DNA sequence: AAGTGCCTCATACTTTAGTAGGGATCTTCG
DNA sequence: CGAAGATCCCTACTAAAGTATGAGGCACTT
């Protein structure tokens, strides 16, 4: 349900309640209904309306707030000691690319990619690319 | 803030508002304030209270609902066509283990691991283990 | 009973990954 | 300036990974 639709409904409910109260008052001439009772009823009613409104308007915000939790920890990246290029190579590794494909994508030679890989492995203290990817993800260095 | 604390606060706010209205009425003898205006003010106030209440009572539920989102999609696993053993090998691959380490951990030979790997790659339509891991994660076959 | 899929293992081979050990610019910083 | 780090590239080698092919045993289904 859209925000505007909800707002319009809110207005309609308010109008309806006021009309109903006036109608009841007119029908039964119950002037004895004290203001306190009126207030109590209306307060309770609109607390409910507020709750309902809240569930419609607030929920969406909370959900999108929680879902995209920070995927990477920039502090972790800095303290990892990885250079910009090494990080790029690592990210492409994580996407399953071979060294040759990484070389093509970055317009550098295969030996260069291997060079970056090796130094990257040393810095992450691993021996294989799959291990590097796993470790980097647990450290939130990559998504 | 606890649920009970919130409820008590709600009661106190209600009491305070009623008291304030009566006080204002008493102080200024403004009998001219129509019931409609009263109702309007109270309705608006308690809609606000309801909204606030909602943010306190509902948010927690929503959060725990979203956070532990299903990490693996069992339906995706079934429709992937992977056998139990292939899935095991895949999971260990994702943890960065070498074929030899996987063989040791599962008490099978290296050729057997390679055999599982190859058929697993075919089923996932990939060529490398890193690619397999990446694809399996995007399909929610593994965590 | 024959067929199918799974798990296991093997050998032989090709390809990719990773290591070792260099060297060449270029920028930045003390 | 000189040192350090980053980037780029190379050769040569070893170690894994991956492919191809075949085969035996087991369980389940038709």
């Amino acid at each position: 349900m859209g925000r505007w639709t909800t707002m319009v409904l809110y207005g309609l409910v308010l109008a309806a309640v006021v009309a109903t109260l006036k109608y009841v008052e007119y029908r039964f001439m119950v002037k004895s209904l004290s203001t306190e009772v009126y207030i109590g009823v209306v307060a309770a009613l609109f607390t409910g309306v507020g709750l309902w409104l809240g569930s419609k308007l607030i929920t969406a915000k909370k959900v999108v707030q929680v879902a995209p939790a920070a995927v990477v920890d920039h502090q972790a990246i800095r303290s990892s000691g990885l250079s910009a290029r090494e990080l790029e190579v690592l990210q492409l590794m994580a996407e399953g690319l071979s060294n040759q494909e990484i070389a093509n994508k970055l317009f550098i030679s295969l030996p260069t990619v291997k060079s970056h890989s090796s130094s990257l492995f040393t810095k992450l203290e691993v021996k294989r690319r799959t291990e590097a990817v796993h470790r980097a993800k647990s450290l939130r260095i990559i998504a």
Side-chain angles (χ1 to χ4, degrees), chain A:
Chain A
M1 198 186 305
R3 298 276 184 285
W4 283 110
T5 313
T6 305
M7 292 310 240
V8 170
L9 264 177
Y10 172 62
L12 289 179
V13 169
L14 201 159
V17 169
V18 171
T20 303
L21 285 176
K22 292 308 288 181
Y23 174 71
V24 168
E25 184 180 60
Y26 166 75
R27 274 282 284 180
F28 304 100
M29 297 298 177
V30 188
K31 286 292 183 191
S32 61
L33 273 181
S34 69
T35 309
E36 285 89 340
V37 175
Y38 259 136
I39 291 177
V41 171
V42 173
L45 269 173
F46 280 87
T47 298
V49 172
L51 278 170
W52 172 75
L53 254 180
S55 73
K56 287 292 169 190
L57 299 176
I58 298 175
T59 301
K61 288 181 188 172
K62 293 298 177 182
V63 170
V64 299
Q65 211 174 19
V66 173
V71 183
V72 294
D73 180 353
H74 296 284
Q75 177 56 42
I77 294 177
R78 280 190 294 274
S79 60
S80 70
L82 292 178
S83 72
R85 212 48 161 170
E86 288 161 355
L87 186 59
E88 274 187 289
V89 171
L90 176 59
Q91 288 166 338
L92 295 177
M93 269 182 185
E95 291 175 16
L97 276 66
S98 68
N99 284 337
Q100 186 59 63
E101 290 169 336
I102 295 173
N104 295 153
K105 185 158 276 186
L106 298 180
F107 302 106
I108 58 182
S109 74
L110 177 59
T112 303
V113 175
K114 289 188 174 187
S115 173
H116 288 316
S117 297
S118 281
S119 63
L120 173 172
F121 295 158
T122 302
K123 289 177 181 176
L124 290 180
E125 300 177 287
V126 298
K127 294 214 167 303
R128 284 172 295 280
R129 56 181 38 227
T130 46
E131 206 182 342
V133 169
H134 187 244
R135 180 160 186 75
K137 287 199 177 187
S138 74
L139 291 175
R140 292 192 168 283
I141 287 177
I142 57 177

